[in-house]
Amino acid sequence: PAGQNTRRILDALDAKGIKATFFMVGEMARNNPALARNVIARGHTVGSHTHRHPNLAAMSHADAVAEIARGERALREAGIPDLPFFRFPYLADTPALRGHLAARGIVVVDVDIDSKDYFRISPVRVATRTMRDLRRRGSGIILFHDLHARTASMLPTFLNMLEREGYKV
């Protein structure tokens, strides 16, 4: 949860009746538990995204497992009781970490289309790049980040583009 940006994204999704999955960083949820709970209250799903967002593939297995556990604990303390999904920060995984999560019944959610909204580009470029990639692929899981104002700004337009072109969310 990232303050006003997350609220704007939630409002844009609500306006279209769309539900999303938010992969929350534990320390961010701990710093804003009311907003984290609001995501759930509005009917969205929450998955874990570690505690501090490190590159888990660059850590020892034990340290990476501990980081995942810290993130889950922080989310539960913020009021998110169910964490069925996980996304690797930087999409950097290892087979052992995937196995660890699978053994616990946690589904790793990968992405098909990276909006690259973390680049310092305009909201229009985020939307047009993402639509271009979606048109090429035809469908898929799209990665956006709610901490960027450019994402919050472009999302209503992007959702209208999806609707006009017949995509379903």
Side-chain angles (χ1 to χ4, degrees):
Q4 188 59 29
N5 293 331
T6 299
R7 283 187 277 282
R8 289 174 60 204
I9 287 169
L10 289 169
D11 290 345
L13 294 168
D14 284 352
K16 292 291 186 182
I18 293 173
K19 301 304 177 196
T21 302
F22 287 75
F23 290 92
M24 291 189 187
V25 174
E27 68 183 0
M28 293 177 77
R30 182 175 278 145
N31 291 336
N32 202 337
L35 185 54
R37 289 188 303 272
N38 188 251
V39 170
I40 294 290
R42 292 195 193 200
H44 302 282
T45 302
V46 171
S48 178
H49 198 45
T50 71
H51 183 64
R52 295 173 295 110
H53 200 271
N55 180 338
L56 298 178
M59 302 169 73
S60 74
H61 181 76
D63 287 346
V65 167
E67 173 67 19
I68 292 167
R70 277 192 301 272
E72 292 169 345
R73 191 167 42 256
L75 289 171
R76 287 194 178 95
E77 290 168 3
I80 310 296
D82 188 31
L83 298 166
F85 304 116
F86 181 84
R87 173 161 294 140
F88 284 95
Y90 309 105
L91 306 175
D93 64 354
T94 68
L97 287 173
R98 280 184 174 267
H100 167 78
L101 292 162
R104 296 179 52 223
I106 297 172
V107 175
V108 173
V109 178
D110 294 307
V111 302
D112 300 309
I113 299 165
D114 183 351
S115 71
K116 299 190 186 328
D117 60 350
Y118 43 85
F119 289 162
R120 293 179 187 251
I121 59 176
S122 72
V124 170
R125 286 209 46 216
V126 173
T128 56
R129 173 197 309 237
T130 305
M131 280 306 299
R132 179 199 67 211
D133 291 349
L134 179 59
R135 286 180 194 115
R136 268 190 214 140
R137 189 173 164 74
S139 66
I141 297 170
I142 302 172
L143 172 64
F144 289 116
H145 297 83
D146 64 340
L147 62 114
H148 300 299
R150 71 184 66 84
T151 305
S153 294
M154 72 87 206
L155 191 60
T157 299
F158 181 77
L159 295 175
N160 286 334
M161 292 167 76
L162 289 178
E163 187 175 57
R164 273 194 312 275
E165 294 190 30
Y167 289 97
K168 304 289 184 222
V169 179

